[in-house]
Amino acid sequence: MPKLILKSLLVYSPNGEKGFHTEFSDSVNIVHGRNTSGKSTLIQSVIYAMGINDSKDNLNDINGEDVFST
């Protein structure tokens, strides 16, 4: 079975107002934070970057801000 290994995540907007970069370790990575801090948006952006876009309703935070993920 093929594996997907994420080494890092860079999210930025062309106007420079928003941005985020993180590197993942080789072991378990835990995403935590308070409510509305962006945990689900982070996971949705990874899924979107993989080409899985089955529900645009869940991607409003990503699509509405001119944000790019690499």
Side-chain angles (χ1 to χ4, degrees):
M1 174 185 232
K3 291 183 179 183
L4 173 68
I5 299 173
L6 298 175
K7 300 279 186 180
S8 65
L9 178 67
L10 170 65
V11 178
Y12 68 96
S13 61
N15 60 14
E17 290 182 17
K18 297 185 179 191
F20 175 79
H21 177 262
T22 190
E23 294 186 12
F24 299 107
S25 71
D26 292 334
S27 59
V28 175
N29 294 273
I30 299 172
V31 177
H32 66 92
R34 60 187 188 348
N35 289 346
T36 70
S37 63
K39 299 178 301 291
S40 295
T41 302
L42 171 68
I43 300 303
Q44 288 172 356
S45 67
V46 171
I47 291 170
Y48 183 76
M50 291 172 29
I52 303 169
N53 188 9
D54 58 351
S55 177
K56 287 189 175 185
D57 295 336
N58 295 331
L59 297 170
N60 289 336
D61 290 340
I62 300 165
N63 291 332
E65 297 290 338
D66 292 328
V67 172
F68 298 94
S69 300
T70 62

